[in-house]
Amino acid sequence: MEKQKSNDKGQFKSNFGFLMAAVGSAVGLGNLWGFPYKMGNGGGFAFLILYLLMAIFIGYPCMLGEFSIGRKGQKAAIGSYEKLDRRFTFNGWIATIVPFFLLTFYCVLGGYVLKYLIANIGDIFGASWGVAGANSETYFGAFVGSGAPALIFTAIYIIVTVLIVMGGVSGGIEKFCTVAMPGLAILLIITVIRSCTLPGAAEGLEFIFKPNFEVFKGTGWITVLASAGGQIFFSLSLASACMIVYGSYLDKKENLEQNAILVPIMDTSVALLAALATIPATFAAGMEPAAGPGMLFVTLQTVFNSMGSAGPIFGTIFYLLVLFAALTSSIGMLEGAVSAFMDRAADKGKKPSRTKISWSIIAVTTVGSIIVAVDALGAGPLPKPFGLGTWLDAFDLFAEGFMMPGGCLIMTIILGWIHPNYIDDEVKLSSGYKSKPFVNFCLKWVAPIFLVFILVGQMNSFFALGWF
């Protein structure tokens, strides 16, 4: 029988289940959609170096901080920050609001992935609803701008996400992630092998691994730093309530240091594998690695179309793994918000209904999803928000651009300067906290400085201010 907490939210049955859920939340479209095209825009190797540095100096200490805050507080982000210091309860609210913005476009992109998975399955059987060798750019544009079909696939994706979260911690989230994550790893390795053995793929491998810092000239490094930094938060699900709430579900005997190291390592490994699955194939097809968000759909579908009869098979494998990754992340985002509002209900003496809260939250985010779907990545009839190209950019601006790095900056100030010993006893429950000097140094000095540069760079990038 599942061990229950006082608010009846549940708990992970095993550390492996926790790890798969945490890695699943981290591994998502941020890795398989965002990382490859941002690496393409950031000059390949130069982007990779900055990303790896931030995974070490921001990813690990901040991940450990969020796990510890959650497990010590035994609540979601709002309640755990309130226990840490009532003055900073607002930072829990910031983290809890982030999923509302992320899910608006995440569910739309998840719907796109579902459409491409079904289309490639159709091609295997020669069905009329397959891609059927159509020009990838034309096919993508027609689907995105189609209105009803795009909304239908988005709705299906949303319903699947909610149903998994409604299953609870061990019965829904843990059960799905323990199957989906190993399956994702196997499918991704198969795709990487095929991508790296295509004629012309060597140029893509050189782009990823050959040292080249041309993009760093002048103040260009700040732009790449901002892009890599935003990707770190989007990819690792930091400052989005998810890791705090997953920490609150973790048994006191489990090693926080070990888990906080493993999640960034696994996430970064998947991100690198995603780059190996996409960028060599992009070069092999003679296409542009800096193609932007369309790389996952336009560029790769072109590659699959060029593979002949094997193309639909590899297309099906690839989009299935992307779907697994997307779902594990979206359920983590939704759970971060659901858990917080279950806490609020319990604090008022009410019995929280996971089902009712899940549907209420998704109803709000669905309004945003409809806007993003109708906007059709900027090709739709809606007016452009805040001078940005798409509504996806607008929602991403608030979440990945400002709230996530801003919320994480506040956390580093709290743990690095105001309450520097707050997490010590929680970490020491399961380990000797050997990394304490490194974590304290990063939270006090390194991470805040990086985060300020990231915030400034994000503002410059989103609004095309031309500062750098």
Side-chain angles (χ1 to χ4, degrees):
M1 183 176 180
E2 182 182 354
K3 182 180 177 181
Q4 296 292 310
K5 298 203 173 183
S6 59
N7 57 10
D8 200 38
K9 289 193 296 183
Q11 188 174 21
F12 288 112
K13 287 184 176 179
S14 66
N15 191 65
F16 179 76
F18 160 78
L19 192 60
M20 289 300 97
V23 172
S25 180
V27 173
L29 292 176
N31 303 75
L32 299 168
W33 169 68
F35 187 88
Y37 89 76
K38 288 180 182 178
M39 175 180 269
N41 285 324
F45 183 80
F47 176 93
L48 179 61
I49 289 298
L50 283 181
Y51 186 90
L52 292 175
L53 286 173
M54 282 188 285
I56 295 169
F57 290 102
I58 296 179
Y60 168 65
C62 291
M63 185 73 68
L64 181 63
E66 293 209 343
F67 283 162
S68 302
I69 289 171
R71 195 170 74 171
K72 187 168 185 174
Q74 292 290 285
K75 288 188 176 182
I78 298 171
S80 289
Y81 268 106
E82 187 174 26
K83 183 173 181 179
L84 194 168
D85 189 326
R86 292 183 67 88
R87 295 173 297 173
F88 295 99
T89 303
F90 73 90
N91 206 41
W93 278 102
I94 290 174
T96 303
I97 293 170
V98 165
F100 284 84
F101 287 105
L102 291 177
L103 284 167
T104 56
F105 65 85
Y106 212 92
C107 289
V108 175
L109 293 172
Y112 292 174
V113 173
L114 184 59
K115 161 65 178 177
Y116 270 72
L117 170 62
I118 293 174
N120 276 273
I121 292 173
D123 281 345
I124 292 176
F125 301 102
S128 59
W129 33 269
V131 179
N135 177 274
S136 295
E137 190 168 354
T138 302
Y139 184 86
F140 181 66
F143 168 66
V144 169
S146 62
L151 288 170
I152 290 170
F153 278 102
T154 298
I156 294 171
Y157 182 88
I158 288 172
I159 290 170
V160 172
T161 299
V162 177
L163 290 176
I164 294 171
V165 171
M166 281 170 52
V169 180
S170 65
I173 299 169
E174 183 174 3
K175 185 177 290 186
F176 178 78
C177 291
T178 51
V179 174
M181 293 312 298
L184 183 151
I186 294 169
L187 294 174
L188 186 54
I189 290 170
I190 292 171
T191 308
V192 167
I193 292 171
R194 183 59 188 132
S195 174
C196 292
T197 53
L198 289 169
E203 192 177 348
L205 294 173
E206 184 177 300
F207 178 80
I208 297 172
F209 295 114
K210 183 178 179 180
N212 182 354
F213 299 101
E214 285 292 313
V215 73
F216 283 174
K217 286 185 176 179
T219 55
W221 66 272
I222 298 179
T223 300
V224 181
L225 177 73
S227 177
Q231 178 62 24
I232 278 284
F233 291 99
F234 186 30
S235 182
L236 289 178
S237 296
L238 291 170
S240 64
C242 175
M243 294 306 174
I244 290 179
V245 75
Y246 279 179
S248 75
Y249 298 155
L250 186 62
D251 194 282
K252 292 285 187 178
K253 72 177 185 295
E254 303 298 351
N255 191 316
L256 289 182
E257 280 186 292
Q258 177 181 288
N259 284 314
I261 291 172
L262 287 175
V263 173
I265 287 176
M266 291 182 180
D267 177 76
T268 302
S269 298
V270 171
L272 189 55
L273 285 172
L276 290 170
T278 54
I279 292 178
T282 301
F283 275 92
M287 302 185 76
E288 176 57 54
M295 177 184 284
L296 184 64
F297 304 104
V298 177
T299 307
L300 286 176
Q301 190 57 52
T302 299
V303 173
F304 297 138
N305 288 349
S306 69
M307 291 183 183
S309 58
I313 297 173
F314 282 100
T316 298
I317 292 172
F318 179 78
Y319 289 113
L320 180 61
L321 77 87
V322 177
L323 182 64
F324 281 168
L327 281 170
T328 53
S329 287
S330 57
I331 62 178
M333 294 177 208
L334 181 56
E335 180 64 17
V338 167
S339 182
F341 286 100
M342 288 181 74
D343 284 341
R344 305 302 288 179
D347 290 343
K348 294 177 182 178
K350 300 177 181 178
K351 182 175 176 60
S353 170
R354 175 176 285 273
T355 299
K356 185 181 295 184
I357 291 172
S358 297
W359 283 112
S360 297
I361 291 172
I362 212 67
V364 175
T365 63
T366 296
V367 174
S369 294
I370 292 171
I371 293 172
V372 173
V374 172
D375 183 53
L377 298 182
L382 299 180
K384 304 302 177 239
F386 314 113
L388 300 172
T390 71
W391 275 92
L392 187 156
D393 289 334
F395 290 125
D396 192 29
L397 167 66
F398 287 110
E400 181 190 339
F402 296 136
M403 296 177 75
M404 295 172 81
C408 200
L409 175 60
I410 293 170
M411 185 191 74
T412 61
I413 293 171
I414 296 170
L415 296 182
W417 293 90
I418 301 173
H419 299 289
N421 301 312
Y422 180 77
I423 66 173
D424 291 10
D425 58 342
E426 192 63 36
V427 179
K428 288 176 181 177
L429 285 175
S430 51
S431 69
Y433 200 4
K434 296 177 182 178
S435 64
K436 179 179 177 179
F438 174 77
V439 171
N440 285 356
F441 177 71
C442 289
L443 290 176
K444 192 169 186 176
W445 299 105
V446 182
I449 293 171
F450 266 108
L451 288 163
V452 169
F453 275 115
I454 290 168
L455 281 165
V456 172
Q458 291 279 51
M459 186 180 297
N460 176 68
S461 178
F462 273 103
F463 293 109
L465 299 175
W467 292 344
F468 316 113

